[in-house]
Amino acid sequence: MGDNDCCCLACVRTQEVGVVEDLGEFKRLLGPGLHFVLWPLESVVGRMSLRIQQLDVMCETKTKDNVFVKVGVAVQYRVIVDSAYDAFYRLTDPRNQVQSYVFDVVRSTVPKMELDEAFQAKEDVAEAVLTQLRDVMADYGYEIKQTLVTDLSPDARVKAGMPHCIQKRSWSIEMRDHHFWRLWILQQVVHIIFLVVHPIIRHRNNVGAT
């Protein structure tokens, strides 16, 4: 018996459902209010909240361009009243079950994307998680209300290396521009030399011909 029970009376709070067993066998579900229980034959063995709950999952995976990222996913779910029996008896740890499916979806979706693409596809990842969880968890008596990708960030080592990569990239661009600049100057010098030398050569050829 729970804190809200007294021998043959059981009290179930609003937004809760009580589970009654008779000598170890499921008997019935109790809605909010005061109920009469045939104690000690019957007992309230558990209560389940009908409120929306949130589970925050952090998953590490790798993108298509071999960058390790941490993906944070928030899942909002609740017990379906008419399926409270399944929710109570079929799953020992629903939060762990939800987490496992989130891991599975994230690790099968993100590796198909490059880092930049993954940043832009947060909604697609969230939708994939929602689609997978909604059908599976309904069989266990749970409704998935919403999923949201709350965080998608590269590994700390990648973050630390980003300034170096940016600096190296800028240096490469600078060297490339410098090379093009030198090539342009060389082309201009050759052009000037041609403008000066060509008339002299042509003049000599004309003098030699006479």
Side-chain angles (χ1 to χ4, degrees):
M1 307 291 282
D3 295 337
N4 299 319
D5 304 334
C6 181
C7 294
C8 297
L9 298 178
C11 183
V12 179
R13 294 177 178 274
T14 301
Q15 288 297 310
E16 279 189 351
V17 60
V19 181
V20 178
E21 288 184 354
D22 183 353
L23 297 177
E25 181 182 1
F26 171 75
K27 188 69 174 181
R28 65 185 184 276
L29 297 174
L30 302 179
L34 185 64
H35 301 271
F36 179 77
V37 179
L38 296 176
W39 188 83
L41 300 179
E42 290 185 344
S43 60
V44 178
V45 295
R47 291 177 171 79
M48 302 189 70
S49 174
L50 300 178
R51 297 178 181 178
I52 294 177
Q53 303 178 63
Q54 178 166 314
L55 174 64
D56 295 314
V57 181
M58 185 63 69
C59 176
E60 186 175 24
T61 185
K62 187 168 65 171
T63 62
K64 187 177 181 180
D65 47 353
N66 294 320
V67 177
F68 283 96
V69 293
K70 291 184 178 180
V71 183
V73 179
V75 180
Q76 293 182 343
Y77 65 97
R78 71 177 183 88
V79 173
I80 302 173
V81 179
D82 296 336
S83 302
Y85 173 89
D86 293 325
F88 186 80
Y89 286 102
R90 295 191 64 189
L91 277 183
T92 303
D93 189 351
R95 296 175 70 87
N96 187 56
Q97 185 78 2
V98 170
Q99 179 175 281
S100 297
Y101 280 108
V102 171
F103 282 172
D104 182 60
V105 174
V106 171
R107 288 173 177 170
S108 63
T109 304
V110 175
K112 299 177 182 178
M113 309 174 184
E114 294 188 351
L115 182 60
D116 292 341
E117 184 183 359
F119 277 120
Q120 299 173 5
K122 288 183 179 180
E123 292 184 2
D124 295 337
V125 175
E127 183 64 28
V129 173
L130 177 62
T131 301
Q132 175 79 356
L133 285 177
R134 181 175 285 166
D135 296 335
V136 173
M137 295 304 294
D139 292 337
Y140 293 106
Y142 287 88
E143 177 187 8
I144 305 301
K145 301 293 291 184
Q146 186 178 9
T147 58
L148 181 67
V149 175
T150 57
D151 183 35
L152 198 158
S153 58
D155 184 81
R157 291 168 295 179
V158 177
K159 281 185 176 181
M162 278 184 171
H164 175 70
C165 293
I166 295 173
Q167 182 179 4
K168 184 177 180 180
R169 189 174 182 182
S170 300
W171 180 81
S172 298
I173 294 174
E174 182 180 350
M175 291 299 296
R176 184 186 62 188
D177 293 343
H178 182 65
H179 173 72
F180 287 155
W181 175 249
R182 291 178 60 186
L183 183 61
W184 182 83
I185 293 177
L186 181 60
Q187 289 175 343
Q188 297 303 312
V189 170
V190 171
H191 181 64
I192 293 173
I193 293 175
F194 176 80
L195 293 177
V196 174
V197 174
H198 182 67
I200 296 176
I201 295 176
R202 188 172 59 180
H203 176 71
R204 288 182 177 178
N205 290 339
N206 292 336
V207 171
T210 57

